[in-house]
Amino acid sequence: MTLTHFALLSLFPALMAYAACSDLLSMRISNRVSLLLFAGFIVMGLAVGLPWETWLMHFAAGGLVLLITFGMFAAGWIGGGDAKLAAVTAMWMGWGSLLIEYGAIASLFGGALTLALLNFRNFPLPYFARWPWLLHLHHHKTGVPYGIALAAAGLAVYPNSQIWMQSLSV
């Protein structure tokens, strides 16, 4: 594997880790992360020579997830950054079993995260753990940083993405 291949394969995991950390610390996922993931998908697709039918299927997967998650955003169930992150991740996964696996794992991780956070909020924070981001996360009116679950699910599924791994000879 060349350094270029390594850099291309590392882009998705690095941006997903950044999105998770950003959501944990600030309850925000920057539009830049979604735009970089989108641009990274284009670069990867060009690098591996995706056929136009595959491009369409990946864009369709992202579009469908964007439609669903923006409905969830409009209902107040998730944040806008979560919606965009889920959509661009779906675009990377493409149409098929990998997208279903991503959705299932994200749901399980999200449920576990929510239960853990609700339990965490039932206990007072120790005096030495009074960082602003932790105080905000601990507050009962603060939402759930669901981007953590979305990113973790993306990282869990990404190694199974044969289109990327086989195309770059991993």
Side-chain angles (χ1 to χ4, degrees), residues 80-116:
D82 299 328
K84 290 176 272 189
L85 182 65
V88 76
T89 303
M91 186 181 64
W92 273 80
M93 298 303 144
W95 203 262
S97 62
L98 205 59
L99 180 59
I100 294 168
E101 184 180 353
Y102 170 68
I105 292 173
S107 296
L108 291 172
F109 285 178
L113 175 66
T114 301
L115 291 174

Side-chain angles (χ1 to χ4, degrees), residues 46-119:
L46 292 171
V48 302
L50 286 183
W52 70 270
E53 301 91 357
T54 305
W55 283 98
L56 291 176
M57 295 308 285
H58 280 260
F59 286 134
L64 176 64
V65 171
L66 185 64
L67 183 70
I68 292 168
T69 55
F70 261 50
M72 296 168 73
F73 168 70
W77 299 338
I78 63 172
D82 299 328
K84 290 176 272 189
L85 182 65
V88 76
T89 303
M91 186 181 64
W92 273 80
M93 298 303 144
W95 203 262
S97 62
L98 205 59
L99 180 59
I100 294 168
E101 184 180 353
Y102 170 68
I105 292 173
S107 296
L108 291 172
F109 285 178
L113 175 66
T114 301
L115 291 174
L117 198 51
L118 289 173
N119 190 40

